Amino acid sequence: MIEWVIAVFLAIGVFFNLLASAGILRFPDVYTRIHAATKCTTFGTIFIVLATVTYAIYSYFWVERDPSWITIGIHSALVVIFLVLTNPVGAHAIGRAARKSGILPHGAVIDELEGRL
Amino acid sequence: MGFIPVFIWSFVLWLVLTAGSKGMLWSPEELVAGVVFSGIIAFTTKDVIGEKASRFLNPAKWVGFVVYSIGPLFWSMVRANLDVAYRVITGRIKPGIVRVPVDLENDAQYTILSNSITLTPGTLTIDARPEEKALYVHWINVTEKEPANSEVIAGSFEKWARRLGR
């Protein structure tokens, strides 16, 4: 039962991380690649960590009462918080730096930042 | 003035990181060491964190953050990823950088809103300009070239950001 839950979480996580890599290869310019890279890796990693946390909780309450399981669970959950807080900021910084150094968005229908950065 | 919020944040983080050493709780030595280290960190970074950081110590705001991140933010991340999956597979994009006027007062609200926009369907914040009350957003599928407000980009996030960062 619990193996299935963990397997589903891992499958979702790995699928979206794979999608991020496919997006980096398939999209035409830096901004759309940042789209794929940030959203999908954040989301996929959340699910991979969720699998870890599920496993840790299960092991603590049903396998053996070892507090190190709790430690593993809490530390993995913290990774998610820090990732969600920092990943969009990194994307923003890369996007802004790219636009500032004059890279135009590929096939843009509108570019309000033209000449303003 | 920033000493107390930094101290509390670093002590809470210390408690979270060291949980589980004595049963599920903390040993007394750990608590003392936590107070000492949090004190050092709070003293060294009290000028970095900003004047009004203590408003985030309000527990009602923490509840708001938890509700926001589990509810609307997570749900729109799900939609964002399905959207990216669709666009990766079909390759159907129509990108552009649009200017989104927003009505926010302080930097924390801008941070919350632009991070949420980056994680939600099809949008990526490129530049935030508090002085002209606008965000510049790279939109992967432009449907409206000059949006009048952030409704079409971010849904209800502007309301959430205004409430949470107040």
Short mmCIF file of all heavy atoms in Angstrom, two decimals, chain A residues 33-69:
data_model
loop_
_atom_site.label_atom_id
_atom_site.label_comp_id
_atom_site.label_asym_id
_atom_site.label_seq_id
_atom_site.Cartn_x
_atom_site.Cartn_y
_atom_site.Cartn_z
N ARG A 33 12.71 28.79 -22.03
CA ARG A 33 13.45 27.71 -21.36
C ARG A 33 13.44 27.91 -19.85
O ARG A 33 13.33 26.93 -19.10
CB ARG A 33 14.87 27.66 -21.88
CG ARG A 33 14.92 27.03 -23.23
CD ARG A 33 16.29 27.05 -23.79
NE ARG A 33 16.27 26.41 -25.09
CZ ARG A 33 17.21 26.52 -25.98
NH1 ARG A 33 18.27 27.28 -25.72
NH2 ARG A 33 17.12 25.91 -27.12
N ILE A 34 13.54 29.17 -19.42
CA ILE A 34 13.44 29.41 -17.98
C ILE A 34 12.07 28.98 -17.47
O ILE A 34 11.96 28.41 -16.39
CB ILE A 34 13.71 30.89 -17.66
CG1 ILE A 34 15.14 31.26 -17.98
CG2 ILE A 34 13.47 31.17 -16.21
CD1 ILE A 34 15.41 32.73 -17.87
N HIS A 35 11.04 29.26 -18.25
CA HIS A 35 9.69 28.79 -17.88
C HIS A 35 9.71 27.31 -17.54
O HIS A 35 9.31 26.90 -16.45
CB HIS A 35 8.74 28.97 -19.07
CG HIS A 35 8.07 30.29 -19.13
ND1 HIS A 35 7.04 30.63 -18.32
CD2 HIS A 35 8.29 31.35 -19.91
CE1 HIS A 35 6.64 31.84 -18.60
NE2 HIS A 35 7.39 32.32 -19.57
N ALA A 36 10.17 26.52 -18.51
CA ALA A 36 10.18 25.07 -18.29
C ALA A 36 11.06 24.72 -17.11
O ALA A 36 10.66 23.95 -16.23
CB ALA A 36 10.67 24.37 -19.55
N ALA A 37 12.24 25.31 -17.06
CA ALA A 37 13.21 24.89 -16.04
C ALA A 37 12.71 25.20 -14.63
O ALA A 37 12.78 24.35 -13.75
CB ALA A 37 14.54 25.57 -16.29
N THR A 38 12.18 26.41 -14.38
CA THR A 38 11.79 26.69 -13.00
C THR A 38 10.54 25.96 -12.60
O THR A 38 10.53 25.29 -11.57
CB THR A 38 11.52 28.18 -12.76
OG1 THR A 38 10.87 28.70 -13.89
CG2 THR A 38 12.77 28.91 -12.49
N LYS A 39 9.47 26.10 -13.36
CA LYS A 39 8.19 25.55 -12.90
C LYS A 39 8.29 24.05 -12.70
O LYS A 39 7.98 23.52 -11.64
CB LYS A 39 7.11 25.85 -13.92
CG LYS A 39 6.74 27.30 -14.00
CD LYS A 39 5.52 27.41 -14.83
CE LYS A 39 5.25 28.71 -15.38
NZ LYS A 39 5.97 29.73 -15.73
N CYS A 40 8.77 23.37 -13.73
CA CYS A 40 8.73 21.91 -13.65
C CYS A 40 9.71 21.36 -12.64
O CYS A 40 9.38 20.40 -11.94
CB CYS A 40 8.98 21.31 -15.02
SG CYS A 40 7.68 21.72 -16.15
N THR A 41 10.90 21.94 -12.51
CA THR A 41 11.82 21.36 -11.52
C THR A 41 11.32 21.61 -10.11
O THR A 41 11.42 20.73 -9.26
CB THR A 41 13.23 21.91 -11.66
OG1 THR A 41 13.16 23.33 -11.67
CG2 THR A 41 13.90 21.42 -12.89
N THR A 42 10.75 22.79 -9.86
CA THR A 42 10.23 23.03 -8.51
C THR A 42 9.14 22.02 -8.18
O THR A 42 9.16 21.37 -7.13
CB THR A 42 9.64 24.44 -8.42
OG1 THR A 42 10.53 25.35 -9.03
CG2 THR A 42 9.42 24.85 -7.00
N PHE A 43 8.20 21.88 -9.10
CA PHE A 43 7.06 21.00 -8.85
C PHE A 43 7.51 19.54 -8.71
O PHE A 43 7.10 18.84 -7.79
CB PHE A 43 6.09 21.16 -10.01
CG PHE A 43 4.77 20.52 -9.78
CD1 PHE A 43 3.87 21.07 -8.88
CD2 PHE A 43 4.41 19.39 -10.47
CE1 PHE A 43 2.65 20.49 -8.67
CE2 PHE A 43 3.18 18.82 -10.27
CZ PHE A 43 2.31 19.36 -9.37
N GLY A 44 8.38 19.10 -9.62
CA GLY A 44 8.85 17.72 -9.56
C GLY A 44 9.59 17.43 -8.28
O GLY A 44 9.39 16.39 -7.65
N THR A 45 10.43 18.37 -7.86
CA THR A 45 11.19 18.14 -6.64
C THR A 45 10.29 18.11 -5.42
O THR A 45 10.55 17.36 -4.48
CB THR A 45 12.27 19.20 -6.51
OG1 THR A 45 12.93 19.32 -7.75
CG2 THR A 45 13.26 18.83 -5.46
N ILE A 46 9.21 18.91 -5.44
CA ILE A 46 8.26 18.84 -4.33
C ILE A 46 7.73 17.42 -4.19
O ILE A 46 7.68 16.87 -3.08
CB ILE A 46 7.09 19.82 -4.56
CG1 ILE A 46 7.53 21.24 -4.29
CG2 ILE A 46 5.92 19.48 -3.66
CD1 ILE A 46 6.47 22.25 -4.55
N PHE A 47 7.41 16.79 -5.31
CA PHE A 47 6.84 15.45 -5.20
C PHE A 47 7.88 14.42 -4.79
O PHE A 47 7.57 13.49 -4.04
CB PHE A 47 6.15 15.06 -6.50
CG PHE A 47 4.74 15.51 -6.52
CD1 PHE A 47 4.39 16.72 -7.05
CD2 PHE A 47 3.75 14.74 -5.94
CE1 PHE A 47 3.09 17.15 -7.03
CE2 PHE A 47 2.44 15.16 -5.91
CZ PHE A 47 2.11 16.37 -6.45
N ILE A 48 9.12 14.58 -5.26
CA ILE A 48 10.15 13.63 -4.83
C ILE A 48 10.37 13.74 -3.32
O ILE A 48 10.46 12.73 -2.61
CB ILE A 48 11.46 13.89 -5.60
CG1 ILE A 48 11.26 13.47 -7.05
CG2 ILE A 48 12.60 13.13 -4.99
CD1 ILE A 48 12.42 13.74 -7.93
N VAL A 49 10.39 14.98 -2.82
CA VAL A 49 10.57 15.15 -1.38
C VAL A 49 9.36 14.63 -0.62
O VAL A 49 9.49 14.06 0.46
CB VAL A 49 10.86 16.63 -1.06
CG1 VAL A 49 10.87 16.86 0.41
CG2 VAL A 49 12.18 17.02 -1.65
N LEU A 50 8.18 14.81 -1.21
CA LEU A 50 6.97 14.28 -0.58
C LEU A 50 7.07 12.76 -0.42
O LEU A 50 6.65 12.21 0.60
CB LEU A 50 5.76 14.64 -1.43
CG LEU A 50 4.46 14.91 -0.73
CD1 LEU A 50 4.63 16.02 0.27
CD2 LEU A 50 3.42 15.31 -1.75
N ALA A 51 7.65 12.11 -1.41
CA ALA A 51 7.86 10.66 -1.30
C ALA A 51 8.79 10.35 -0.14
O ALA A 51 8.54 9.44 0.66
CB ALA A 51 8.43 10.12 -2.60
N THR A 52 9.88 11.13 0.00
CA THR A 52 10.80 10.93 1.12
C THR A 52 10.10 11.11 2.45
O THR A 52 10.26 10.30 3.37
CB THR A 52 11.95 11.94 1.03
OG1 THR A 52 12.35 12.07 -0.31
CG2 THR A 52 13.09 11.51 1.88
N VAL A 53 9.28 12.17 2.55
CA VAL A 53 8.60 12.45 3.82
C VAL A 53 7.62 11.33 4.15
O VAL A 53 7.54 10.88 5.29
CB VAL A 53 7.91 13.82 3.74
CG1 VAL A 53 7.06 14.06 4.96
CG2 VAL A 53 8.92 14.92 3.63
N THR A 54 6.89 10.87 3.14
CA THR A 54 5.96 9.76 3.36
C THR A 54 6.69 8.53 3.88
O THR A 54 6.26 7.89 4.85
CB THR A 54 5.25 9.40 2.05
OG1 THR A 54 4.83 10.60 1.43
CG2 THR A 54 4.06 8.53 2.31
N TYR A 55 7.81 8.25 3.25
CA TYR A 55 8.59 7.08 3.67
C TYR A 55 9.08 7.24 5.10
O TYR A 55 9.04 6.29 5.90
CB TYR A 55 9.76 6.90 2.71
CG TYR A 55 10.58 5.68 2.98
CD1 TYR A 55 9.99 4.42 2.98
CD2 TYR A 55 11.94 5.78 3.25
CE1 TYR A 55 10.73 3.31 3.24
CE2 TYR A 55 12.69 4.66 3.50
CZ TYR A 55 12.09 3.43 3.50
OH TYR A 55 12.82 2.33 3.76
N ALA A 56 9.55 8.46 5.44
CA ALA A 56 10.07 8.69 6.79
C ALA A 56 8.97 8.54 7.82
O ALA A 56 9.16 7.88 8.85
CB ALA A 56 10.69 10.09 6.86
N ILE A 57 7.79 9.13 7.54
CA ILE A 57 6.69 9.03 8.51
C ILE A 57 6.26 7.58 8.68
O ILE A 57 6.10 7.08 9.81
CB ILE A 57 5.50 9.89 8.03
CG1 ILE A 57 5.86 11.37 8.11
CG2 ILE A 57 4.27 9.62 8.86
CD1 ILE A 57 4.82 12.26 7.51
N TYR A 58 6.14 6.89 7.56
CA TYR A 58 5.75 5.47 7.63
C TYR A 58 6.77 4.68 8.45
O TYR A 58 6.40 3.89 9.32
CB TYR A 58 5.66 4.92 6.21
CG TYR A 58 5.50 3.43 6.16
CD1 TYR A 58 4.28 2.84 6.45
CD2 TYR A 58 6.57 2.62 5.82
CE1 TYR A 58 4.13 1.49 6.43
CE2 TYR A 58 6.44 1.25 5.78
CZ TYR A 58 5.22 0.68 6.09
OH TYR A 58 5.08 -0.65 6.05
N SER A 59 8.05 4.89 8.20
CA SER A 59 9.07 4.13 8.91
C SER A 59 9.05 4.44 10.39
O SER A 59 9.25 3.54 11.22
CB SER A 59 10.45 4.45 8.36
OG SER A 59 10.47 4.23 6.99
N TYR A 60 8.80 5.70 10.75
CA TYR A 60 8.82 6.03 12.18
C TYR A 60 7.65 5.39 12.90
O TYR A 60 7.81 4.82 13.97
CB TYR A 60 8.79 7.55 12.37
CG TYR A 60 8.84 7.96 13.81
CD1 TYR A 60 10.04 7.92 14.51
CD2 TYR A 60 7.69 8.36 14.49
CE1 TYR A 60 10.10 8.28 15.83
CE2 TYR A 60 7.74 8.72 15.81
CZ TYR A 60 8.95 8.68 16.48
OH TYR A 60 9.02 9.01 17.80
N PHE A 61 6.48 5.46 12.31
CA PHE A 61 5.30 5.01 13.07
C PHE A 61 5.02 3.53 12.92
O PHE A 61 4.38 2.94 13.78
CB PHE A 61 4.08 5.81 12.65
CG PHE A 61 4.07 7.20 13.22
CD1 PHE A 61 4.34 8.28 12.41
CD2 PHE A 61 3.84 7.40 14.57
CE1 PHE A 61 4.35 9.57 12.95
CE2 PHE A 61 3.85 8.67 15.10
CZ PHE A 61 4.11 9.76 14.28
N TRP A 62 5.47 2.91 11.84
CA TRP A 62 5.10 1.50 11.66
C TRP A 62 6.26 0.53 11.61
O TRP A 62 6.07 -0.65 11.76
CB TRP A 62 4.25 1.35 10.39
CG TRP A 62 2.84 1.77 10.62
CD1 TRP A 62 1.86 1.02 11.17
CD2 TRP A 62 2.27 3.04 10.34
NE1 TRP A 62 0.70 1.74 11.23
CE2 TRP A 62 0.92 2.98 10.73
CE3 TRP A 62 2.76 4.22 9.79
CZ2 TRP A 62 0.06 4.06 10.60
CZ3 TRP A 62 1.89 5.29 9.64
CH2 TRP A 62 0.57 5.20 10.06
N VAL A 63 7.48 1.02 11.41
CA VAL A 63 8.60 0.08 11.31
C VAL A 63 9.43 0.11 12.58
O VAL A 63 9.47 -0.86 13.34
CB VAL A 63 9.47 0.39 10.09
CG1 VAL A 63 10.64 -0.57 10.03
CG2 VAL A 63 8.64 0.26 8.84
N GLU A 64 10.09 1.23 12.85
CA GLU A 64 10.84 1.31 14.11
C GLU A 64 10.82 2.73 14.63
O GLU A 64 10.89 3.69 13.87
CB GLU A 64 12.28 0.83 13.91
CG GLU A 64 13.03 1.61 12.86
CD GLU A 64 14.49 1.25 12.83
OE1 GLU A 64 15.01 0.80 13.87
OE2 GLU A 64 15.11 1.44 11.78
N ARG A 65 10.75 2.88 15.95
CA ARG A 65 10.64 4.20 16.57
C ARG A 65 12.02 4.83 16.69
O ARG A 65 12.53 5.04 17.78
CB ARG A 65 10.02 4.06 17.95
CG ARG A 65 8.58 3.66 17.89
CD ARG A 65 7.73 4.87 18.08
NE ARG A 65 6.36 4.56 17.68
CZ ARG A 65 5.37 5.44 17.76
NH1 ARG A 65 5.59 6.65 18.21
NH2 ARG A 65 4.17 5.12 17.38
N ASP A 66 12.60 5.14 15.56
CA ASP A 66 13.93 5.74 15.58
C ASP A 66 13.80 7.22 15.23
O ASP A 66 13.29 7.54 14.15
CB ASP A 66 14.81 5.01 14.54
CG ASP A 66 16.25 5.50 14.61
OD1 ASP A 66 16.50 6.46 15.38
OD2 ASP A 66 17.09 4.94 13.90
N PRO A 67 14.18 8.13 16.12
CA PRO A 67 13.98 9.56 15.85
C PRO A 67 14.70 10.06 14.60
O PRO A 67 14.36 11.13 14.09
CB PRO A 67 14.53 10.26 17.09
CG PRO A 67 14.73 9.23 18.09
CD PRO A 67 14.75 7.90 17.46
N SER A 68 15.67 9.31 14.12
CA SER A 68 16.36 9.81 12.92
C SER A 68 15.43 9.83 11.71
O SER A 68 15.65 10.61 10.79
CB SER A 68 17.58 8.95 12.62
OG SER A 68 17.19 7.64 12.39
N TRP A 69 14.37 9.04 11.74
CA TRP A 69 13.37 9.14 10.67
C TRP A 69 12.71 10.50 10.68
O TRP A 69 12.47 11.11 9.62
CB TRP A 69 12.31 8.06 10.81
CG TRP A 69 12.78 6.70 10.46
CD1 TRP A 69 12.84 5.63 11.28
CD2 TRP A 69 13.28 6.26 9.19
NE1 TRP A 69 13.34 4.55 10.61
CE2 TRP A 69 13.61 4.92 9.32
CE3 TRP A 69 13.47 6.89 7.97
CZ2 TRP A 69 14.13 4.17 8.29
CZ3 TRP A 69 13.98 6.15 6.93
CH2 TRP A 69 14.30 4.81 7.10
#
